[in-house]
Amino acid sequence: MNIGFAVAAAIGLLGFGIHVFWAAPRLVRPFLKLDLNRWIKWLFYLCFHIVSLLILTMTLVFWWAARDYHGHPAAAVLGGGKAGAAVPQARDKSLDQVAVLPVLPRCEPAHRDDGGGVLVGGD
């Protein structure tokens, strides 16, 4: 279990609880009672629920990452599939000055397959 991701999930759950159970009755319901254009009120209502779903999704992905010590599967989701790696499709000179720090440690296998099913290297 990854403690850092578990703490992030707990904080996300706390934030979700505050957002839904504190903000909804104290902010959303009074806002909907105001004398405003109904489109403004319903756009606010829609945005509130979108934010609720995003907080819940973030919390669930952090919990998923906490279950694996390194958080590899969830880090790929959180990183948009790249997991912190910047791999340009074409060589771009503007990227020469950008320092990219990897999110995940690089793990080299002890053995490699030479293509014919034979393991090469290692002890």
Side-chain angles (χ1 to χ4, degrees):
M1 166 137 334
N2 185 315
I3 300 300
F5 282 131
V7 169
I11 291 171
L13 188 62
L14 176 68
F16 179 75
I18 290 170
H19 181 79
V20 171
F21 298 110
W22 183 84
R26 289 176 179 80
L27 298 174
V28 176
R29 289 184 190 144
F31 185 83
L32 291 176
K33 292 178 184 175
L34 293 176
D35 186 27
L36 294 171
N37 184 318
R38 68 185 180 120
W39 293 105
I40 294 171
K41 292 193 289 188
W42 290 110
L43 179 62
F44 175 78
Y45 193 65
L46 175 68
C47 289
F48 180 85
H49 283 83
I50 290 172
V51 169
S52 299
L53 289 174
L54 288 173
I55 294 171
L56 182 61
T57 302
M58 176 189 67
T59 301
L60 292 174
V61 172
F62 277 134
W63 181 248
W64 179 30
R67 297 182 57 147
D68 176 23
Y69 180 75
H70 294 294
H72 290 117
V77 171
L78 290 172
K82 293 186 188 229
V87 182
Q89 296 298 324
R91 184 75 177 137
D92 186 1
K93 299 277 186 200
S94 64
L95 293 177
D96 288 342
Q97 303 300 320
V98 177
V100 178
L101 300 176
V103 174
L104 302 176
R106 184 176 200 128
C107 298
E108 296 296 329
H111 302 282
R112 71 178 192 283
D113 187 347
D114 70 350
V118 177
L119 295 177
V120 179
D123 295 324

